[in-house]
Amino acid sequence: MTKWKSLLGAVLASTSLATAAGAAELRMSWWGGDSRHTATQEALKVCGDKHGHVIKPEFTGWAGHLEKVTTQIAGGTEADIMQINWPWLPLFSANGEGFADLNTLSGTIDLSNWTDAELATTSINGKLNGLPLSTTGRVFFFNKTTFDKAGAALPTTWDELFGAAAQIREKLGTDYYPLNAVDETAALLVSLYTTQISGKDLIDPNSLTVAWSQEELARGIAFYGEMMKAGVVMDRETANAAGNVRLYEKPEWADGHIAGSYEWDSTFFKFSDPLKEGEVLVPVKLLQNADAVAEGVYRKPSMMFSVSKNSQNKEAAAQILNCLLNEKEGIEILGSTRGLPASKAAADQLKAAGAIEPALAEANAIVMAGTGPNVSPLNEHPEVRSIFLDTLEAYAYGQMDAETAAQDIIEGINEAIEEYRS
Amino acid sequence: MGGDNRFLGLAYVTPYLVGLLFFTAFPFAASFYLSFTNYDLLSTPDWVGLRNYEKLLTRDRTFDKSLSVTLLYVAMTVPLKLGFALLVAVILNYRLRAINLFRTAYYVPSILGGSVAIAVLWRYIFAHNGLVNLGLTSLGLEPVNWFGDPQNALFTLTLLRCWQFGSAMVIFLAALQSVDKSLYEAATIDGANRWHVFRYITLPLITPVIFFNLIMQTVQAFQEFNGPYIITNGGPLKSTYLLPLYIYDKAFKSFDMGYASAIAWVLFAIIMTLTLIAFWSSKKWVYYAGDRRS
């Protein structure tokens, strides 16, 4: 009996010790590639040990992650810490109540590492829904080797791009294209050109309707048509011949037949890694013609870490977040696996250690130096994106003219985001 | 059955019943309820009556397109697949050397067929620089744009489905082997050639199995998802945008689970109607053993 009593005493003592230390079992979910998966798991182990918590990792690739998180949130079974894409904010937290308000955890998370402007991008109705991880934007990546082979200089304006296309196709063959433009990239190129000639983002922030006039958007769409006609980009029927396959998986990308794209700065290595030996990819500033009224950079917080509003261990989750983003151990391990960190502590530490790849830094510098109207998260609302892409594809297949396409896009988007206006 | 045995039987079927109730019956009933609501997955479903169905059947152009693509896909896939499966089964019914090896080999695509890996492989085989076009150009023919041309894309996916003919083929093979050999002998003595034997003896006697395969393949074809999702993502110009893809997009990309449920129920109604028509017509062309007509 005495033996049992002492055993029970030991168990109770250890339980109370654990409680006093706030030991918690947490779950964290994210999407990404192998390097991000490996680094995050290691960082969670180190930060968990440091703060006395155990964190179960749940990670996937990009495809299907939104669906997974949606299902989990709908069922109340989401992870305590989640990596959330910035455009998902209006979907999950239209009124700011969808995630835990991290302002209430500011005693644990050192929020001074972000500027007020940065925190405002992830706040809704004054509630801080997530910590910005990095700022990202679209830049041009060009395969310098292909341009060099054709004796063409890397373009700085749209006119120069058209000139380079003619030179490349004449010297290397008509199966060479200086730029890729399908699906989302095609839509964002049209957006870029339309923003440059109008000075406005797709969505007007006050009225929450499409800001572009039909004429402005029609000019942007017609510009895409001109690019296909001049062989700057592949026509859509040829591009679709590969089926549903990513640009960086295509042999034409690897061997320089498609010699450029307009992509997120943080994805530079995803596009440079598959290139054949000797092919050199470089980030290039946004192209614009002399009549542009804005540079039109498409810049936004790339993603954020949010804490579930249903989490039973918000304080412990905050400790882990602070460790991952603001403390030496977490910063060192995570490095730039989620782009160049927005946290000042992390950015300073990585710069001092020379841990940021020059090409990535250059691509990000282009994005950060770019100017243009603020980008609304509604640009990437699934319905908005779907209307834009489907209509643009119909235009590219010659099923409608640019004016009709512009009208369909404007009407469709205005209807799709009607609920956000009330 | 004694008391103990009765409970033992119940114990055996309980895991199945629990699975059936929770993972089939409940979602089935829930989706019916949700089809009358506006439900974004994150907030409480909001009852809207028949509004989803009204929009679906009167104002949704995407649904019209998706439904016509789905019906065309089913109309192409089912006869092609059944015909091919029957042809292979007839060949494999002959006494050939190493016949079991051939039977296994022809069944293998069915085991692999529905997988993501095979869909990816299909994408590469029919790509512009893929194996099929390589073969065509080596024969001096023009390469075909299998995925980029809206006229071809659906047919390419149909071929993938037909390639998975193994399970239907095995069922046909079993049916062919169960045909009474004495009927063949009698017909041959009466001077029937091979075609006559097949047309007037084999085919009528395996009609129950043709009927079974017809129903199964039709239902499966209406539910096709993996192929179009991975190979073409419904494109180009929604020419491969089958209804299951539309349901998925509405539910998980547009967060409109109520509307997605309504589409699912319309799809269910279509499958059910076609099945009932098949059952009704079967009285005229399916012959069962002991049937007065046989």
Side-chain angles (χ1 to χ4, degrees):
Chain A
M1 191 63 188
T2 317
K3 198 172 163 185
W4 279 109
K5 271 185 183 170
S6 52
L7 184 64
L8 186 65
V11 169
L12 285 174
S14 65
T15 310
S16 62
L17 266 178
T19 309
E25 275 197 24
L26 301 169
R27 289 159 55 217
M28 175 170 167
S29 67
W30 71 89
W31 76 86
D34 283 345
S35 59
R36 185 182 292 173
H37 294 331
T38 311
T40 310
Q41 288 182 87
E42 194 187 337
L44 287 180
K45 176 98 182 48
V46 170
C47 289
D49 289 347
K50 182 178 176 184
H51 292 283
H53 306 305
V54 177
I55 309 105
K56 191 179 160 225
E58 298 174 4
F59 50 91
T60 65
W62 165 255
H65 195 80
L66 171 60
E67 290 86 330
K68 182 186 166 184
V69 172
T70 307
T71 313
Q72 287 182 327
I73 291 179
T77 58
E78 71 273 24
D80 299 88
I81 303 171
M82 289 169 280
Q83 178 180 305
I84 296 292
N85 198 20
W86 181 68
W88 300 349
L89 251 185
L91 302 175
F92 291 132
S93 187
N95 57 3
E97 304 284 346
F99 298 106
D101 179 8
L102 299 180
N103 286 317
T104 63
L105 298 165
S106 58
T108 308
I109 304 170
D110 183 1
L111 296 179
S112 68
N113 279 306
W114 289 268
T115 63
D116 288 346
E118 284 173 326
L119 294 179
T121 61
T122 53
S123 296
I124 295 177
N125 292 339
K127 294 190 168 58
L128 182 57
N129 275 229
L131 295 171
L133 298 179
S134 56
T135 300
T136 189
R138 290 266 169 164
V139 292
F140 286 96
F141 298 149
F142 282 116
N143 184 327
K144 194 172 178 305
T145 316
T146 299
F147 279 77
D148 287 348
K149 273 189 215 161
L154 289 176
T156 58
T157 66
W158 294 113
D159 290 341
E160 286 176 14
L161 178 68
F162 275 73
Q167 202 168 333
I168 286 171
R169 288 160 68 80
E170 188 193 330
K171 292 271 171 61
L172 304 178
T174 51
D175 54 344
Y176 275 80
Y177 302 86
L179 194 64
N180 155 69
V182 288
D183 301 332
E184 191 185 37
T185 305
L188 285 172
L189 278 170
V190 170
S191 288
L192 172 64
Y193 188 81
T194 314
T195 302
Q196 289 183 343
I197 59 169
S198 69
K200 294 175 283 190
D201 178 43
L202 167 65
I203 307 291
D204 179 76
N206 299 315
S207 65
L208 293 186
T209 55
V210 173
W212 300 328
S213 68
Q214 187 188 343
E215 189 198 344
E216 287 164 345
L217 180 52
R219 274 182 68 191
I221 293 170
F223 179 69
Y224 172 54
E226 287 166 29
M227 287 204 286
M228 285 191 290
K229 207 171 161 189
V232 174
V233 300
M234 262 186 205
D235 68 88
R236 192 57 79 85
E237 201 164 329
T238 309
N240 280 345
N244 178 30
V245 60
R246 306 271 179 207
L247 173 65
Y248 49 81
E249 292 170 4
K250 290 182 178 174
E252 296 92 338
W253 173 258
D255 64 16
H257 275 70
I258 300 173
S261 194
Y262 176 60
E263 302 291 342
W264 302 116
D265 66 319
S266 54
T267 60
F268 181 83
F269 291 107
K270 191 155 78 178
F271 288 90
S272 68
D273 286 352
L275 292 181
K276 284 188 176 167
E277 210 176 327
E279 307 282 335
V280 178
L281 195 70
V282 291
V284 171
K285 204 165 171 271
L286 296 183
L287 309 180
Q288 58 178 323
N289 281 345
D291 60 348
V293 295
E295 189 183 359
V297 66
Y298 191 92
R299 183 175 55 216
K300 59 166 195 171
S302 63
M303 56 183 103
M304 56 192 207
F305 278 153
S306 296
V307 172
S308 161
K309 67 176 178 186
N310 301 314
S311 172
Q312 300 298 309
N313 299 294
K314 293 189 182 74
E315 191 63 36
Q319 285 181 339
I320 296 302
L321 278 187
N322 197 56
C323 177
L324 293 173
L325 303 178
N326 297 332
E327 292 173 14
K328 191 173 173 296
E329 302 86 342
I331 295 168
E332 191 178 327
I333 300 169
L334 288 185
S336 55
T337 52
R338 286 178 176 79
L340 297 187
S343 157
K344 187 174 178 304
D348 289 348
Q349 183 181 320
L350 292 180
K351 274 179 199 157
I356 297 171
E357 295 283 349
L360 197 63
E362 194 184 337
N364 189 252
I366 291 171
V367 169
M368 300 311 283
T371 57
N374 284 339
V375 173
S376 163
L378 290 173
N379 273 275
E380 292 177 50
H381 186 285
E383 290 266 359
V384 171
R385 197 37 70 79
S386 164
I387 290 162
F388 209 136
L389 263 60
D390 290 347
T391 314
L392 205 56
E393 189 182 42
Y395 166 77
Y397 269 86
Q399 299 211 328
M400 57 175 72
D401 58 26
E403 286 72 26
T404 313
Q407 188 183 351
D408 282 6
I409 289 173
I410 291 170
E411 286 176 3
I413 292 176
N414 280 336
E415 192 185 332
I417 58 174
E418 194 176 2
E419 62 182 289
Y420 294 95
R421 289 197 281 279
S422 51
Chain B
M1 192 187 280
D4 285 345
N5 282 345
R6 193 171 63 225
F7 285 116
L8 190 64
L10 269 176
Y12 282 142
V13 296
T14 298
Y16 170 75
L17 284 179
V18 169
L20 181 75
L21 281 174
F22 282 93
F23 299 115
T24 304
F26 174 69
F28 192 73
S31 76
F32 187 63
Y33 164 71
L34 289 174
S35 72
F36 297 101
T37 67
N38 181 14
Y39 177 45
D40 67 359
L41 283 168
L42 303 169
S43 40
T44 317
D46 182 22
W47 182 264
V48 294
L50 289 169
R51 198 192 300 166
N52 286 334
Y53 289 97
E54 185 264 327
K55 183 182 170 191
L56 189 62
L57 299 172
T58 59
R59 287 180 284 135
D60 188 344
R61 278 183 296 173
T62 309
F63 175 76
D64 295 345
K65 171 77 181 171
S66 185
L67 178 61
S68 62
V69 167
T70 308
L71 291 173
L72 182 61
Y73 175 76
V74 174
M76 286 197 298
T77 303
V78 175
L80 262 178
K81 187 173 175 181
L82 288 185
F84 193 59
L86 183 58
L87 177 70
V88 177
V90 169
I91 295 168
L92 293 182
N93 196 33
Y94 286 112
R95 291 182 181 278
L96 303 170
R97 285 183 69 186
I99 190 66
N100 286 333
L101 183 70
F102 283 117
R103 284 172 184 168
T104 310
Y106 280 106
Y107 187 64
V108 165
S110 282
I111 301 170
L112 304 170
S115 75
V116 171
I118 293 299
V120 173
L121 181 70
W122 212 251
R123 201 173 66 196
Y124 282 109
I125 289 176
F126 283 91
H128 189 64
N129 299 322
L131 203 61
V132 174
N133 276 345
L134 211 63
L136 289 176
T137 46
S138 68
L139 293 172
L141 299 169
E142 282 291 310
V144 176
N145 190 343
W146 297 101
F147 298 132
D149 185 344
Q151 305 291 330
N152 299 334
L154 191 65
F155 178 68
T156 315
L157 294 181
T158 301
L159 290 180
L160 170 62
R161 187 89 202 170
C162 292
W163 188 65
Q164 303 157 38
F165 62 88
S167 57
M169 181 267 293
V170 166
I171 297 168
F172 276 135
L173 191 57
L176 289 171
Q177 292 183 345
S178 69
V179 175
D180 190 346
K181 302 288 179 289
S182 64
L183 295 172
Y184 292 144
E185 286 164 16
T188 312
I189 291 165
D190 288 345
N193 61 26
R194 278 189 179 185
W195 167 247
H196 287 138
V197 168
F198 179 75
R199 170 67 186 82
Y200 296 107
I201 295 177
T202 311
L203 216 49
L205 287 176
I206 64 167
T207 47
V209 169
I210 294 175
F211 178 59
F212 172 79
N213 271 338
L214 175 72
I215 299 287
M216 295 306 289
Q217 296 304 326
T218 305
V219 172
Q220 284 173 20
F222 269 110
Q223 295 175 337
E224 175 65 11
F225 180 84
N226 277 0
Y229 180 71
I230 293 163
I231 298 172
T232 57
N233 200 20
L237 294 175
K238 301 225 176 294
S239 60
T240 58
Y241 198 56
L242 302 184
L243 276 174
L245 261 76
Y246 189 37
I247 294 171
Y248 175 81
D249 283 350
K250 274 286 164 195
F252 293 107
K253 288 190 174 158
S254 303
F255 295 89
D256 201 347
M257 189 58 90
Y259 198 71
S261 299
I263 306 171
W265 273 90
V266 170
L267 180 61
F268 173 76
I270 292 168
I271 296 174
M272 181 60 91
T273 306
L274 288 177
T275 307
L276 288 175
I277 291 172
F279 267 97
W280 170 78
S281 72
S282 70
K283 289 174 198 155
K284 298 183 191 313
W285 61 273
V286 178
Y287 299 90
Y288 293 99
D291 194 317
R292 280 181 193 171
R293 294 168 297 175
S294 59

